[in-house]
Amino acid sequence: MPSQGLPLRVATLLTGLLECLGFAGVLFGWASLVFVFKTEHYFEELCEPDGALMGNLTGQAPFSPPDCKAQDEKFSLIFTLGSFMNNFMTFPAGFIFDRFKTTVARLIAIFLYTSATLIIAFTSAGSALLLFLAMPMLTVGGILFLITNLQVGNLFGKHRSTIITLYNGAFDSSSAVFLVIKLLYEQGISLRASFIFLSVCSAWHVVRTFLLMPRGHIPYPLPPNYRYGLCSGNDTTEGEKNAAESDKVEMQSNEFLPAKEETLEPGKQPESRSFWHHALSQRFVCHLVWLSVIQLWHYLFIGTLNSLLTNLAGGNRVLVSTYTNAFAITQFFGVLCAPWNGLLMDQLKQKYQKEAKDKGSSAMTVALRSAVPSLALTSLLCLGFAVCASVPILPLQYVTFILQVISRSFLYGGNAAFLTLAFPSEHFGKLFGLVMALSAIVSLLQFPIFTFIKGPLQNDPLYVNVMLVLATVLTFIHPFLVYWECRREKSSLAAA
């Protein structure tokens, strides 16, 4: 990269990392916020006091009824709606980003985020239903922040996958923001003051939008003398022209080798394929199923964590608070876990590129081979997390928290990186949005599952957990099929 642009690019990288870390994925710290909401008596009017139960718990710290089904269902439904919108709205958000570009997408994100934080700031137990509006707005704004920041990886060439996974890890770690709000609340800082502060931070988002981000898209590969933000008053037109020229030679760059194969068969370049060709391919469908199953586990766990801990702790609020804090603290380390996945993919891709020079493998095969270990490792981590989460032993949940944050950081970082490697860059926004939107529909199962556990299963999730663990085992099919696809092409090249 040109040395004259390095300070600006580093500033864009670091401020984008801070933005994702502090704002993008705060919804997933829901367990910490639920603890505060329960203390503030949100939806408590739905609970039916049990005099005998309350008598048995005399002498313990104040707490809500250990098993208030109606209250827990309200919070579970809000999280289900918020997490659904977080994914489902990624599809139209991707189209907005592709069609109207960075500035418009970010201004929409800022409007939604600011409105949501102000609504939450001025809600109370009497107006708790406003959370059904605020949380989806908060999550949609956050996912738009993430989408517009993922392109920053294009500024750093061979480290592209590492940057993408780093940003996704920061998205995961932002769930710790609600832990900070919870801790401040316990120190006397009101919920209203915390969310008003988040609203005021929108001024920083606006400044960053106009000074440190492009008006259009950051192309990949990066054209010579590419300028944006502070360095250019009109980066959209010139940058897009440069990007168009760069796309013609993308497969001949140092990142994608060998070039002679693409010269021999120009009609087979990925750029000539339509969006729907890729969206209906076996590769995309398998990836969608892989993401949906693993994501359902994570959403179900996060959305029901407060209820789970309350049951395992026997209603002891001190224990629930301790384990909630431990969970939120582990979430912060997602930003440290995720880059290892991208680093693994980048290193493997460079290794396979060297082999491709001699064997004549296509650029797409090189990219896919580098993704196989990441996909398999993510499935393995989720399986370990699922097994631990299924065992009703409270101290074991510390291990569950650790495996959950590693698995989740690998999941979303690996998902974004896989889409950039396995499909053409011009369809990334739409494909990323489509896979998240469709997986969101599957994530809606978390609420009926929660209701089924609370009702017919009488708070015993054993059978549901067994079924979900078996479904997690099936996710290993995806990396196997990707590996088999690479082997098949390798065999066909050897035969030729």
Side-chain angles (χ1 to χ4, degrees):
M1 69 182 68
S3 59
Q4 62 182 14
L6 182 59
L8 177 64
R9 297 179 192 193
V10 172
T12 301
L13 171 66
L14 295 180
T15 55
L17 184 64
L18 180 61
E19 187 169 78
C20 290
L21 187 61
F23 304 93
V26 293
L27 171 72
F28 300 101
W30 181 244
S32 298
L33 202 58
V34 166
F35 187 88
V36 177
F37 287 150
K38 285 189 173 182
T39 305
E40 288 286 308
H41 311 295
Y42 283 47
F43 302 117
E44 196 171 280
E45 69 278 2
L46 301 174
C47 300
E48 297 180 2
D50 187 333
L53 181 61
M54 297 299 286
N56 291 335
L57 293 170
T58 301
Q60 290 188 14
F63 55 86
S64 299
D67 188 20
C68 181
K69 177 183 175 182
Q71 184 186 38
D72 287 339
E73 283 184 348
K74 282 290 185 183
F75 287 125
S76 177
L77 187 57
I78 291 171
F79 179 79
T80 300
L81 180 61
S83 58
F84 169 77
M85 294 296 287
N86 177 76
N87 286 7
F88 186 78
M89 290 303 294
T90 307
F91 191 29
F95 272 106
I96 290 172
F97 175 61
D98 286 346
R99 175 67 179 84
F100 298 103
K101 305 188 170 49
T102 302
T103 299
V104 172
R106 287 183 59 82
L107 290 176
I108 293 173
I110 293 168
F111 170 76
L112 291 173
Y113 206 93
T114 306
S115 300
T117 51
L118 287 174
I119 291 173
I120 298 173
F122 290 98
T123 56
S124 62
S127 57
L129 287 176
L130 286 174
L131 295 177
F132 282 95
L133 172 65
M135 297 312 296
M137 292 175 66
L138 191 73
T139 55
V140 175
I143 200 65
L144 274 168
F145 282 140
L146 176 64
I147 290 176
T148 56
N149 277 306
L150 287 178
Q151 63 181 327
V152 174
N154 295 348
L155 296 173
F156 295 88
K158 293 182 179 180
H159 303 291
R160 185 188 187 198
S161 294
T162 303
I163 300 300
I164 290 173
T165 52
L166 178 66
Y167 272 28
N168 277 274
F171 178 87
D172 294 338
S173 294
S174 64
S175 58
V177 169
F178 282 170
L179 169 64
V180 174
I181 291 176
K182 173 181 177 290
L183 295 177
L184 290 174
Y185 177 82
E186 293 173 338
Q187 297 300 316
I189 305 298
S190 69
L191 193 65
R192 176 172 299 179
S194 295
F195 275 94
I196 287 178
F197 174 78
L198 291 179
S199 301
V200 172
C201 287
S202 294
W204 178 76
H205 298 311
V206 173
V207 171
R208 184 171 182 271
T209 297
F210 290 103
L211 299 185
L212 291 175
M213 293 295 287
R215 295 183 185 178
H217 295 139
I218 300 176
Y220 183 80
L222 210 62
N225 301 319
Y226 174 71
R227 305 176 72 184
Y228 70 97
L230 286 171
C231 293
S232 175
N234 186 19
D235 63 278
T236 302
T237 303
E238 185 176 352
E240 296 297 330
K241 288 180 180 178
N242 289 335
E245 293 298 321
S246 297
D247 283 343
K248 295 180 181 179
V249 296
E250 177 174 350
M251 303 305 287
Q252 298 181 359
S253 67
N254 292 331
E255 185 79 8
F256 294 97
L257 294 169
K260 62 179 182 180
E261 181 178 330
E262 304 301 327
T263 304
L264 293 173
E265 298 179 306
K268 295 185 179 180
Q269 291 183 7
E271 292 82 5
S272 64
R273 303 288 176 85
S274 70
F275 162 72
W276 287 111
H277 169 83
H278 297 289
L280 297 175
S281 65
Q282 175 185 293
R283 183 187 301 169
F284 183 82
V285 172
C286 287
H287 186 69
L288 170 63
V289 174
W290 174 84
L291 173 67
S292 298
V293 172
I294 298 178
Q295 178 178 261
L296 177 61
W297 247 121
H298 287 284
Y299 281 7
L300 183 64
F301 181 75
I302 296 171
T304 61
L305 180 61
N306 184 267
S307 176
L308 171 67
L309 294 178
T310 300
N311 290 331
L312 293 180
N316 187 321
R317 187 182 173 191
V318 175
L319 274 178
V320 174
S321 179
T322 300
Y323 277 84
T324 300
N325 291 350
F327 172 74
I329 290 171
T330 58
Q331 297 303 294
F332 180 77
F333 290 95
V335 70
L336 302 179
C337 299
W340 291 102
N341 191 17
L343 186 62
L344 171 67
M345 298 173 75
D346 283 337
Q347 292 298 318
L348 287 174
K349 186 162 65 173
Q350 292 178 29
K351 173 186 175 182
Y352 294 145
Q353 281 171 355
K354 294 178 182 178
E355 297 178 8
K357 292 180 181 179
D358 301 325
K359 299 180 180 179
S361 299
S362 69
M364 188 63 70
T365 301
V366 170
L368 288 176
R369 286 182 67 191
S370 68
V372 170
S374 170
L375 297 173
L377 182 57
T378 302
S379 293
L380 182 62
L381 287 168
C382 183
L383 181 61
F385 148 65
V387 170
C388 290
S390 302
V391 180
I393 299 176
L394 189 59
L396 183 62
Q397 301 315 305
Y398 287 121
V399 179
T400 304
F401 298 161
I402 295 171
L403 291 175
Q404 189 271 340
V405 70
I406 299 174
S407 170
R408 187 164 178 265
S409 62
F410 270 54
L411 174 66
Y412 291 110
N415 169 53
F418 178 81
L419 292 175
T420 62
L421 294 173
F423 302 98
S425 60
E426 66 266 25
H427 298 308
F428 171 75
K430 295 182 286 291
L431 288 173
F432 181 77
L434 181 62
V435 76
M436 297 301 283
L438 294 178
S439 67
I441 297 175
V442 178
S443 74
L444 288 175
L445 290 173
Q446 61 185 296
F447 184 69
I449 289 174
F450 176 77
T451 305
F452 184 62
I453 293 172
K454 286 285 186 180
L457 294 183
Q458 297 181 346
N459 231 17
D460 182 5
L462 175 62
Y463 295 110
V464 170
N465 288 342
V466 169
M467 293 301 296
L468 289 175
V469 167
L470 292 177
T472 304
V473 173
L474 295 179
T475 63
F476 285 94
I477 294 176
H478 178 41
F480 174 77
L481 289 178
V482 174
Y483 173 76
W484 182 257
E485 183 180 348
C486 296
R487 290 284 297 177
R488 185 171 55 189
E489 179 174 339
K490 183 178 179 181
S491 300
S492 63
L493 288 174

